[in-house]
Amino acid sequence: MRKILLLLILISAIITVNAQSDTLSVTLENVKYPYPVTFMPIKVEGQDIRMAYMDVKPATPNGKTIMLFHGKNFGGYYWKDVIKLLTDKGYRVIVPDQIGFGKSSKAFIHYSFHQLARFNKNLLDSLGIQKITLMGHSMGGMLATRFTLMYPDKVEKLLLEDPIGLEDYRTFVPYNSAEDDYKAELKTSYESVKKYYQTSYFTSWKPEYDYLVNIGAGVSKSADFPRYAKVAALTFEMIYEQPVCYEFGLIKVPTVLFVGKEDKTIVGKALLSNEEKVKHGQYKILGPETAKKIPGCKLIEFDNCGHIPHIEAKEAFFKALTANL
């Protein structure tokens, strides 16, 4: 019996080591996405780069298209179940990896929400898509807001899932340069990513969330990780320096705001004292405050749920999403 127990412990240790030692390329070539990935070429700042996206068509089309914008620490892969839900209901679903993220190029360019919005507009134009429902999660919510403000004629409805940027981080998070952030990003490890995801994204951890950590941390062992870290620093700078919260009142399309009431996300949280942390990032307060700023906005809240309702509160989120398409 003791030998069996020791064997099981050894197997468990090997599995843990393997989970932490998988090396991923910084453009996730060795990560299988749930649907085929296509690339759109882009020329910007003298560089030839490419933007990855999934274009998933339904078996029985309803003539409508939904575009999904991912968060900062993710790519299109974590929309798998959302894509299936939407295509089953007849929607064509466009899921880009933003430049600097996922399978898209990790370019050294000036990152701005305006420029990323333009890239996505160009993608839609290349596909001949005139109108969309737009859903953005986390950083994708900031980008979706900017896109809607820039191209209101393209967006029929705006769906925001726990968007960051509901407050102006510049007013309470100490300034860090991109170089400072780069040095911090270089310290990324499996342990640091898992701890961050556990404490920042979910109310309680489940084994099925481990794949998010494996992808998020796997790139840290790549020889090209310094490039990835630099881009991560540049996009952190974009979030910090380009708030959208002052423009919510300018949104003119029907908007639904989905919020996990236990979400406490703050961009730059590690730079804050414990006293400051409790003053900010309180989505149970920020959600209702933001909904009041957006004309006609509908607020849907999820109890016992953190930053990613479409994963942590999937059944409730899918029901709410279906009712508000």
Side-chain angles (χ1 to χ4, degrees), residues 150-188:
M150 289 175 66
Y151 308 111
D153 293 340
K154 275 280 186 187
V155 182
E156 292 182 313
K157 180 175 280 192
L158 175 62
L159 308 174
L160 300 173
E161 179 192 357
D162 285 75
I164 58 170
L166 300 185
E167 50 196 333
D168 185 347
Y169 303 117
R170 300 173 304 175
T171 63
F172 60 90
V173 175
Y175 172 73
N176 250 14
S177 69
E179 186 64 22
D180 295 331
D181 293 326
Y182 170 61
K183 291 175 182 176
E185 290 286 349
L186 286 175
K187 298 176 183 177
T188 298

Side-chain angles (χ1 to χ4, degrees), residues 245-305:
C245 57
Y246 302 113
E247 299 167 81
F248 286 138
L250 302 176
I251 295 174
K252 293 182 171 62
V253 305
T255 302
V256 183
L257 176 60
F258 303 92
V259 167
K261 291 174 72 173
E262 299 306 314
D263 191 353
K264 298 178 175 62
T265 300
I266 303 172
V267 175
K269 180 184 274 190
L271 301 173
L272 298 179
S273 66
N274 290 332
E275 291 75 19
E276 281 295 308
K277 287 176 185 177
V278 299
K279 295 178 185 177
H280 303 283
Q282 304 292 325
Y283 275 63
K284 60 186 175 185
I285 297 172
L286 291 170
E289 287 180 349
T290 301
K292 291 177 183 176
K293 296 177 183 177
I294 302 173
C297 179
K298 181 176 182 180
L299 174 66
I300 298 174
E301 298 175 294
F302 302 95
D303 292 324
N304 304 312
C305 180

Side-chain angles (χ1 to χ4, degrees), residues 34-48:
Y35 298 92
V37 175
T38 305
F39 295 89
M40 179 182 77
I42 297 173
K43 190 171 184 66
V44 59
E45 298 180 23
Q47 301 176 54
D48 292 310

Side-chain angles (χ1 to χ4, degrees), residues 23-325:
T23 299
L24 302 180
S25 74
V26 298
T27 46
L28 304 188
E29 276 94 348
N30 39 352
V31 174
K32 182 173 174 56
Y33 272 36
Y35 298 92
V37 175
T38 305
F39 295 89
M40 179 182 77
I42 297 173
K43 190 171 184 66
V44 59
E45 298 180 23
Q47 301 176 54
D48 292 310
I49 61 176
R50 61 182 195 166
M51 182 175 179
Y53 66 95
M54 291 179 281
D55 180 0
V56 190
K57 297 180 176 67
T60 308
N62 64 12
K64 296 185 177 183
T65 299
I66 293 183
M67 195 174 208
L68 306 179
F69 287 170
H70 61 76
K72 185 181 189 303
N73 291 316
F74 306 99
Y77 54 84
Y78 81 153
W79 288 119
K80 176 183 177 181
D81 293 340
V82 176
I83 296 170
K84 185 177 187 310
L85 172 77
L86 295 172
T87 53
D88 284 350
K89 296 189 178 303
Y91 290 89
R92 180 180 181 180
V93 187
I94 309 299
V95 188
D97 278 352
Q98 304 304 329
I99 294 298
F101 301 88
K103 290 181 178 288
S104 292
S105 297
K106 305 300 177 290
F108 291 158
I109 59 173
H110 171 64
Y111 281 89
S112 75
F113 287 119
H114 290 79
Q115 181 151 258
L116 294 184
R118 177 179 288 180
F119 293 156
N120 285 279
K121 163 71 159 49
N122 292 344
L123 173 59
L124 291 174
D125 290 345
S126 73
L127 297 173
I129 297 171
Q130 301 302 317
K131 292 275 190 179
I132 59 167
T133 290
L134 180 58
M135 182 159 78
H137 168 249
S138 194
M139 181 200 76
M142 287 187 80
L143 177 56
T145 300
R146 178 58 61 208
F147 184 100
T148 301
L149 292 168
M150 289 175 66
Y151 308 111
D153 293 340
K154 275 280 186 187
V155 182
E156 292 182 313
K157 180 175 280 192
L158 175 62
L159 308 174
L160 300 173
E161 179 192 357
D162 285 75
I164 58 170
L166 300 185
E167 50 196 333
D168 185 347
Y169 303 117
R170 300 173 304 175
T171 63
F172 60 90
V173 175
Y175 172 73
N176 250 14
S177 69
E179 186 64 22
D180 295 331
D181 293 326
Y182 170 61
K183 291 175 182 176
E185 290 286 349
L186 286 175
K187 298 176 183 177
T188 298
S189 66
Y190 181 91
E191 292 77 14
S192 69
V193 171
K194 186 163 186 176
K195 181 179 179 181
Y196 182 77
Y197 285 16
Q198 285 177 321
T199 57
S200 297
Y201 290 158
F202 298 95
T203 58
S204 61
W205 192 259
K206 295 180 181 178
E208 57 260 39
Y209 305 155
D210 282 337
Y211 84 97
L212 298 172
V213 180
N214 292 339
I215 295 175
V219 294
S220 67
K221 296 183 180 296
S222 167
D224 291 328
F225 182 66
R227 169 176 283 271
Y228 184 98
K230 185 68 171 181
V231 170
L234 293 173
T235 54
F236 178 94
E237 193 174 46
M238 171 181 72
I239 293 167
Y240 182 86
E241 294 183 351
Q242 300 172 30
V244 297
C245 57
Y246 302 113
E247 299 167 81
F248 286 138
L250 302 176
I251 295 174
K252 293 182 171 62
V253 305
T255 302
V256 183
L257 176 60
F258 303 92
V259 167
K261 291 174 72 173
E262 299 306 314
D263 191 353
K264 298 178 175 62
T265 300
I266 303 172
V267 175
K269 180 184 274 190
L271 301 173
L272 298 179
S273 66
N274 290 332
E275 291 75 19
E276 281 295 308
K277 287 176 185 177
V278 299
K279 295 178 185 177
H280 303 283
Q282 304 292 325
Y283 275 63
K284 60 186 175 185
I285 297 172
L286 291 170
E289 287 180 349
T290 301
K292 291 177 183 176
K293 296 177 183 177
I294 302 173
C297 179
K298 181 176 182 180
L299 174 66
I300 298 174
E301 298 175 294
F302 302 95
D303 292 324
N304 304 312
C305 180
H307 191 56
I308 319 178
H310 77 258
I311 293 178
E312 186 173 15
K314 184 162 68 174
E315 187 175 326
F317 180 81
F318 281 12
K319 183 177 180 181
L321 177 60
T322 300
N324 288 278
L325 290 172

